[in-house]
Amino acid sequence: KVAACLAFAGSLMMASAGAQVSADFYRGKQIILMVGSSPGGGYDAVARVVARHLGKLIPGNPSVIVQNTPGGGSITMSNRIYRAEPQDGTVLGLVQRGALLAQLLKQPNVQFDITKFNWIGSVSPETSLVVAWNTAPVKTVQDLLVEQLIVGGTGATSDLEASARLLNATIGAKFKIVSGYPGQADVLLAMARGEIQGSADWSWSEIKSRNSNYLKDKKIILLLQNALEKAPDLPDVPLAMDFIKDETDRKGAELYFGLKQIARPVLMGPGVPADRLEVLRKAFMALKDDAEFKADAERIGLNDPTPADEIENFVKLAASASPEVVRRLTDILNPRK
């Protein structure tokens, strides 16, 4: 019993010392929260809510600023954090989740090892939707299987493009992707202007919280849910999974749609000191009990953050996928194929 008490006391002293070291380091510092997309979109909105509240929960109370780093569906940002940015705990990255499969699927320009990133946590699971503008010829899922729907894309690994390619290959959808938009906000503006006809992947929480007028005015048609389970408030919108019949395609889609549970993952470089990593993880998870953060998060449709080990488990699951499933997903999602 004495040994156990001494061990427990020792662990408390080590934790306290670690927090003090981190407080000394972070006091007066500025943390950069990079976001792998352009201003105005869903990831950008999430990053700014996190940045507004995270600093006060970190020992030393550093300031946190957002830096937009769009390109390649967050591959550009991920490469920078892995290879070029400081590994001292002052740089975080909110990554578009498609980047978590980029290395496995041999996407171009990947210069990182996904298994070596340090994960901080994830900001809220989500459901995404296939949406058509009200003037598009596609009004139903059946229309989508025979009529072309022109959608916008922001990079090879972005959800907007990856979901379109996945549904084209697995259910016979007729998406035509117009790539090259800097971010989701630009895609939505193009849709409203009539440049494109819809989106193959748009967050339901963002639609409800930031674009509810589109629902009220019936500007958009909700066609499919890109998720493993239906959102409770969308019982009449079918799951894309229900239209996928081939077993290998279903396993690949389960892996791809499983990313939605991770939603908005936050990472750090592989060389960040362990004590700073632990302090940042605790601060991130403390957001769920912060009243001011919860009020801001509710306004943009976010749920509670999820811990780093859920992201680590997904990375391990992806690494253990069968060669057949990996080949099929690679054929679908890698634009060079």
Side-chain angles (χ1 to χ4, degrees), residues 149-154 160-162 164-165 168 175-179:
L149 185 68
I150 303 172
V151 295
T154 60
L160 285 82
E161 296 193 22
R165 289 198 298 274
N168 281 352
F175 292 111
K176 177 182 178 181
I177 303 170
V178 178
S179 194

Side-chain angles (χ1 to χ4, degrees), residues 138-147 172 174 223-224 238 243:
V138 173
K139 310 294 185 186
T140 66
V141 177
Q142 288 68 33
D143 291 342
L144 184 62
L145 302 181
V146 295
E147 294 274 358
K174 306 299 181 188
L223 297 173
L224 284 170
F243 294 86

